[in-house]
């Protein structure tokens, strides 16, 4: 028993320095971006950008200024978009749609590059994720209830009537509460990851999830990499996924199918927790991503089946 406690304590000690480095990294991302949004709002430029993009985003039930959040998400991790969401006062319905768009299409350059090393095309995965973001948002806009009166983001708007000093106060108070929440979550997740790794629990957990692979349209052998992609994430779990593919744990075709699923639904643990922390309903995050990921994989399998039948049929006809 004492040995187990010592190993857990070691996991915690190893996680804390990584957590501290992540904290500094997050501060460098969140603070400048959230301040920029405040200043754009104060200057009136945000309203101009919003007006230009309103027609596109109105199709999915979102105000034009949310385009900045979505675009920001495509270039990096989710912490900056979360800071931006909490810098604006959005209805819970709009925030949920926007959150799922960001969840599908965040950090595209890094994550699509990793998927390109595990059996897929960089541009294929990027286009898939962007198109699915808007398809999912369009669908949610049709089915989500109104949730009247519920909002995400408590900060007051920084208008041109607000002084620059008040803008800075709004920025500091709005950002710090989000940062503290996220830092606690990141530290907890790092400790959890170290514990799973230390006690070799990932393999045991993947065996439990193996029967689900049939529902997902994936091979049973994909369970371990599916779990890596959903517990550790694509960015942090990329090295493991590349190594497993190089060891031929999955064929390239099977890896390509898995990437279709992970393109829509990955990092279910961390991504869900950090959005739930700002008030987004967990059920909509998990259910929506899994449902569309399953649909994408079975759609890809149907395409592969039809394509293979046509390829076989052409030589016979010739």
């Amino acid at each position: 028993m004492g040995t187990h406690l010592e190993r857990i304590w070691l996991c915690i000690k190893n996680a804390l320095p990584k957590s501290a480095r992540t904290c500094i990294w997050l501060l460098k991302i969140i603070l400048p971006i959230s301040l920029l949004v405040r200043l754009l709002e104060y200057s009136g430029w945000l309203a101009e950008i919003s007006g230009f993009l309103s027609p596109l985003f109105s199709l999915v039930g979102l105000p034009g200024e949310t385009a900045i959040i979505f675009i920001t998400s495509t270039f990096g991790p989710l912490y900056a978009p979360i800071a931006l969401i909490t810098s604006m006062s959005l209805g819970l319905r709009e925030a949920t749609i926007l959150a799922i768009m960001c969840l599908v299409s965040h950090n595209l350059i890094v994550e699509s590059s990793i998927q390109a090393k595990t059996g897929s095309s960089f541009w294929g995965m990027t286009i898939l994720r962007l198109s699915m973001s808007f398809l999912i948002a369009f669908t949610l806009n049709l089915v989500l209830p109104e949730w009247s009166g519920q909002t995400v983001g408590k900060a007051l708007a920084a208008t041109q009537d607000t002084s620059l000093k008040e803008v800075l106060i709004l920025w500091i108070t709005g950002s710090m509460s989000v940062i503290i929440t996220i830092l606690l979550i990141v530290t907890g997740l790092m400790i959890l990851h170290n514990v799973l790794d230390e006690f070799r629990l990932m393999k045991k957990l993947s065996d439990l999830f193996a029967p689900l692979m049939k529902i997902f349209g994936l091979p049973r052998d994909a369970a371990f990499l599916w779990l890596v992609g959903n517990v550790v994430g694509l960015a942090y779990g990329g090295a493991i996924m590349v190594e497993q593919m190089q060891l031929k744990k999955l064929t390239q075709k099977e890896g390509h199918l898995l990437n279709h699923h992970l393109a829509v639904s990955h990092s279910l643990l961390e991504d869900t927790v950090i959005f739930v922390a700002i008030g987004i309903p967990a059920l909509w995050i998990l259910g929506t991503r899994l449902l569309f990921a399953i649909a994408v994989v079975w759609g890809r399998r149907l395409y592969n089946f039809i394509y293979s039948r046509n390829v076989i049929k052409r030589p016979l006809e010739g």
Side-chain angles (χ1 to χ4, degrees):
M1 184 69 178
T3 304
H4 285 104
L5 290 175
E6 288 173 6
R7 291 169 71 184
I8 291 171
W9 175 240
L10 183 63
C11 291
I12 295 171
K13 287 199 298 183
N14 290 337
L16 291 178
K18 296 178 185 177
S19 178
R21 287 193 294 270
T22 302
C23 294
I24 296 170
W25 174 66
L26 290 178
L27 288 170
K28 289 179 180 178
I29 294 172
I30 291 174
L31 294 179
I33 291 177
S34 59
L35 177 59
L36 176 62
V37 170
R38 290 288 180 192
L39 294 175
L40 285 172
E41 192 175 26
Y42 173 71
S43 67
W45 288 3
L46 190 58
E48 294 291 330
I49 296 170
S50 303
F52 179 74
L53 294 170
S54 282
L56 174 61
F57 277 74
S58 65
L59 294 175
V60 295
L62 295 176
E65 61 264 26
T66 57
I68 295 172
I69 301 175
F70 178 69
I71 292 167
T72 300
S73 73
T74 64
F75 289 102
L78 288 165
Y79 302 106
I82 286 175
L84 297 182
I85 289 173
T86 56
S87 296
M88 300 178 183
S89 185
L90 292 172
L92 181 57
R93 185 178 190 276
E94 290 73 24
T96 300
I97 294 173
L98 179 61
I100 294 176
M101 289 183 74
C102 294
L103 282 163
V104 175
S105 289
H106 66 273
N107 207 11
L108 283 178
I109 296 174
V110 172
E111 295 185 352
S112 292
S113 297
I114 290 167
Q115 290 190 297
K117 293 181 180 179
T118 56
S120 299
S121 155
F122 173 90
W123 288 111
M125 289 294 102
T126 300
I127 291 169
L128 173 64
R129 292 176 67 175
L130 287 171
S131 59
M132 288 305 299
S133 290
F134 281 93
L135 177 60
I136 292 170
F138 181 79
T139 305
L140 287 176
N141 188 39
L142 296 176
V143 302
L144 271 181
E146 283 299 331
W147 293 321
S148 58
Q150 298 185 56
T151 59
V152 172
K154 300 177 181 178
L156 299 173
T159 65
Q160 289 178 308
D161 296 328
T162 308
S163 69
L164 189 58
K165 180 181 177 181
E166 289 173 316
V167 172
L168 293 174
I169 291 172
L170 287 171
W171 166 60
I172 292 170
T173 55
S175 297
M176 292 313 297
S177 61
V178 175
I179 290 170
I180 291 169
T181 302
I182 290 175
L183 295 184
L184 290 173
I185 291 169
V186 168
T187 302
L189 289 171
M190 286 187 172
I191 292 170
L192 175 62
H193 176 229
N194 283 359
V195 170
L196 290 173
D197 189 50
E198 174 67 23
F199 290 92
R200 303 182 185 278
L201 294 174
M202 286 291 284
K203 185 65 175 70
K204 293 178 181 177
L205 285 172
S206 67
D207 291 339
L208 290 176
F209 282 96
L212 279 176
M213 297 302 106
K214 188 173 182 179
I215 298 171
F216 294 163
L218 299 171
R220 187 181 179 89
D221 291 341
F224 177 69
L225 288 182
W226 181 89
L227 195 63
V228 169
N230 279 289
V231 173
V232 185
L234 287 176
Y236 298 123
I240 301 171
M241 298 177 76
V242 171
E243 179 189 31
Q244 291 290 302
M245 290 301 297
Q246 289 174 344
L247 293 172
K248 308 294 183 184
K249 298 296 183 181
L250 292 178
T251 65
Q252 187 172 3
K253 184 178 179 180
E254 291 171 337
H256 190 45
L257 267 183
L258 176 62
N259 279 333
H260 276 71
H261 181 103
L262 294 177
V264 179
S265 180
H266 62 272
S267 195
L268 287 180
L269 178 61
E270 179 181 357
D271 290 357
T272 302
V273 169
I274 59 177
F275 272 104
V276 167
I278 64 169
I280 309 298
L283 184 60
W284 282 101
I285 294 174
L286 293 170
T288 302
R289 296 181 77 191
L290 282 172
L291 183 62
F292 276 90
I294 292 169
V296 165
V297 171
W298 282 105
R300 180 67 197 190
R301 290 187 63 167
L302 177 61
Y303 170 83
N304 289 344
F305 175 75
I306 294 171
Y307 179 79
S308 63
R309 288 285 296 269
N310 287 339
V311 168
I312 294 170
K313 189 177 179 181
R314 284 192 204 109
L316 291 175
E317 291 175 348

